[in-house]
Amino acid sequence: MFAHVDVNSFYANCEKVFRPELKASPVIVLSNNDGCVIARSCEAKALGIKMGQPYFKLSGSYLKHYNIQVFSSNYALYGDLSQRVMDTIESIVPDIEIYSIDEAFCDIASFNQIMSFEALGQKIRNEVKQCTHLTVGVGIGQTKTLAKLANYAAKKWPKTGGVVDLSNRERQIKLMAITPIEEVWGIGRAISQQLKERNINTALDLANWSPIEAKQQFSVVLERTVRELNGESCLELESISEPRQQIVCSRSFGVKVTELETLSQAISNYTARAAEKLREDKQYCKHITVFIKTSPFTPNQVYYSHSSSEKISATSDTRKLLSVANRLLKRIWIDGKDYQKAGVILNDFCQVETDQYDLFSDPTSLVRNEKLLNTIDRINKTSSTKLFFASQGIKGQWQMKQAFLSPAYTTRFKDIPIAKLI
């Protein structure tokens, strides 16, 4: 038996946790560079604001009239609150799979002797609310797909109290009959259109379809979905996440970059961040790619996009990666362009423990370098004063626009809210 726990309007509601005066206000969160809407509170959804809607199309008078609160993405805040939500769930149900920043699956089969599944769902919901001030929906079913379906119902109909137990087959059939096919987990827009052409319009239509035909006409993934809708568990809880196969660090710039030195600083920053992630995963990489591009919408300028890559000796040393990245950048740089985006991709990973030294390696030096870089990482994580390499620059003219960024309430000392007794 599985429970699916999902935070309601996660990014938007994270912004409300430390701003109680915004409890009933519509809130939207913008993408990197404040480009478009990537999260909406339920009040903003009710106003008809769409996901992906460009921010510049929301006029100032419209925002003011409806008192819409706008925030830039604050991933430090969202990441920390996500960890608190997951820790709270794990304190109640030990077998948990963190599926995304705001979702988790739990194995709750062993709880049937202790309390009802619905009572367990309410317990999770209440404790997450008490510990984080965030509201979650809880769906329960014999399979992950049914648990996701139950959570869809828990969020759609407030009368459910935010918890829906779908362990009863009659309830499953009743809900599936009124659930559009595109709301089933794993059914994207393209597949839903193809299924509708076969007169499969609801979750129940899909459940009644032959799994063999689903596999023949689509894929084994759809066959598995059909079986899961019928209570046959095909997806186990994955308590150990797979190591990353690739690390990408890229951003659009707040202002267009025209100088090689400025672009080099941006590439150095992305490389340093990617190397830090690599060390977090205890991996080395053997391949690095650098890419740059202009905007395809810039008038009177031919669109330019190019990348360059190189095979390297296995490493997670920021200094070595910076040297290669800047060499690659110079290969693809062209004067006279207004660059809008750049990035670094690391791949072809191997585990630190299993890597073999080459003939010219100095093991003592490698251990010393690793200690140095790990120390830098530790300082950067625990101190407000950051250590960085000279090639990363100081001014950061290429930085993203974050005009509406909220404080990092839980991860930066100077941003911790202060309470006053009156």
Side-chain angles (χ1 to χ4, degrees):
M1 189 65 71
F2 295 93
H4 175 251
V5 186
D6 187 8
V7 185
N8 297 346
S9 305
F10 181 58
Y11 289 179
N13 284 333
C14 282
E15 299 292 351
K16 292 188 177 191
V17 168
F18 294 93
R19 297 281 304 276
E21 75 276 16
L22 301 182
K23 187 177 178 183
S25 301
V27 167
I28 57 172
V29 177
L30 305 178
S31 61
N32 294 328
N33 268 327
D34 298 342
C36 59
V37 177
I38 58 166
R40 306 154 295 161
S41 66
C42 58
E43 297 85 2
K45 290 176 190 173
L47 290 174
I49 298 174
K50 305 289 183 194
M51 282 290 281
Q53 188 165 344
Y55 174 62
F56 73 87
K57 289 191 174 179
L58 297 169
S59 69
S61 56
Y62 175 80
L63 295 171
K64 190 174 179 182
H65 179 73
Y66 290 104
N67 191 29
I68 299 170
Q69 303 296 314
V70 182
F71 291 92
S72 304
S73 310
N74 185 344
Y75 293 109
L77 177 66
Y78 310 151
D80 187 65
L81 287 179
S82 169
Q83 188 60 52
R84 294 176 189 217
V85 169
M86 299 308 167
D87 287 347
T88 306
I89 297 169
E90 202 165 11
S91 69
I92 304 166
V93 186
D95 293 331
I96 173 175
E97 173 193 340
I98 299 173
Y99 183 66
S100 67
I101 193 168
D102 60 345
E103 288 180 78
F105 285 101
C106 313
D107 184 343
I108 57 170
S110 58
F111 280 81
N112 62 345
Q113 302 296 325
I114 304 170
M115 62 178 81
S116 72
F117 291 131
E118 189 155 344
L120 176 64
Q122 287 296 349
K123 181 178 174 62
I124 293 172
R125 188 175 152 87
N126 293 338
E127 293 207 11
V128 170
K129 182 75 176 175
Q130 185 177 10
C131 295
T132 67
H133 288 216
L134 292 167
T135 304
V136 298
V138 182
I140 295 161
Q142 290 97 336
T143 67
K144 282 182 166 181
T145 305
L146 286 171
K148 283 276 282 187
L149 193 69
N151 209 342
Y152 160 75
K155 287 188 171 182
K156 188 172 178 63
W157 290 289
K159 284 185 178 177
T160 60
V163 178
V164 170
D165 176 6
L166 267 194
S167 53
N168 178 291
R169 186 60 185 166
E170 283 182 18
R171 294 189 76 186
Q172 291 170 15
I173 291 172
K174 194 174 171 184
L175 175 60
M176 286 193 288
I178 57 171
T179 303
I181 187 67
E182 55 268 25
E183 297 295 342
V184 177
W185 186 33
I187 305 295
R189 187 180 298 174
I191 293 178
S192 66
Q193 283 302 321
Q194 293 175 48
L195 289 171
K196 285 176 182 175
E197 289 168 8
R198 290 165 172 79
N199 208 26
I200 298 172
N201 298 301
T202 66
L204 186 59
D205 294 336
L206 184 61
N208 289 333
W209 203 28
S210 159
I212 296 170
E213 282 185 43
K215 182 179 179 181
Q216 288 171 343
Q217 295 183 29
F218 287 87
S219 65
V220 69
V221 177
L222 192 64
E223 178 206 5
R224 221 160 40 196
T225 301
V226 174
R227 292 187 186 281
E228 287 240 323
L229 285 174
N230 285 292
E232 183 183 339
S233 182
C234 304
L235 300 168
E236 296 299 320
L237 205 68
E238 295 174 10
S239 53
I240 300 173
S241 57
E242 290 290 319
R244 279 186 274 214
Q245 301 298 312
Q246 177 175 269
I247 293 174
V248 181
C249 281
S250 74
R251 290 282 187 278
S252 294
F253 303 129
V255 292
K256 292 194 176 146
V257 173
T258 56
E259 302 291 332
L260 176 59
E261 187 181 342
T262 310
L263 192 55
S264 173
Q265 289 176 8
I267 288 292
S268 295
N269 272 277
Y270 301 152
T271 306
R273 178 62 189 132
E276 198 179 307
K277 289 183 180 180
L278 197 61
R279 290 192 291 276
E280 280 174 9
D281 291 353
K282 299 192 185 310
Q283 299 209 85
Y284 289 155
C285 77
K286 299 180 185 174
H287 194 266
I288 176 170
T289 301
V290 169
F291 66 87
I292 55 177
K293 53 180 71 176
T294 62
S295 168
F297 306 107
T298 303
N300 306 319
Q301 189 175 85
V302 177
Y303 175 60
Y304 177 74
S305 174
H306 203 357
S307 66
S308 180
S309 57
E310 195 169 304
K311 191 94 176 159
I312 56 175
S313 301
T315 186
S316 64
D317 190 326
T318 305
R319 295 163 297 178
K320 291 180 182 175
L321 293 168
L322 284 173
S323 171
V324 180
N326 280 291
R327 185 167 68 238
L328 294 174
L329 172 62
K330 286 174 185 169
R331 283 185 199 162
I332 53 179
W333 166 269
I334 292 181
D335 287 329
K337 299 284 186 188
D338 296 337
Y339 293 96
Q340 189 200 29
K341 189 172 184 179
V344 173
I345 303 170
L346 304 182
N347 50 22
D348 195 1
F349 295 159
C350 61
Q351 295 291 320
V352 171
E353 294 84 0
T354 57
D355 183 54
Q356 299 286 319
Y357 297 134
D358 63 33
L359 183 63
F360 303 104
S361 296
D362 174 5
T364 308
S365 169
L366 288 171
V367 170
R368 198 166 55 234
N369 288 341
E370 208 154 298
K371 282 184 178 175
L372 169 68
L373 292 162
N374 287 335
T375 303
I376 292 173
D377 291 345
R378 254 198 322 277
I379 291 171
N380 284 341
K381 278 182 185 170
T382 56
S383 167
S384 58
T385 304
K386 301 293 181 190
L387 298 178
F388 57 90
F389 295 86
S391 64
Q392 292 176 247
I394 298 172
K395 292 183 179 175
Q397 295 166 343
W398 45 274
Q399 295 279 17
M400 294 182 294
K401 286 179 193 168
Q402 289 184 306
F404 313 103
L405 188 64
S406 54
Y409 295 105
T410 58
T411 55
R412 192 181 298 141
F413 276 114
K414 72 180 181 63
D415 290 351
I416 294 175
I418 298 171
K420 292 181 181 175
L421 291 174
I422 300 174

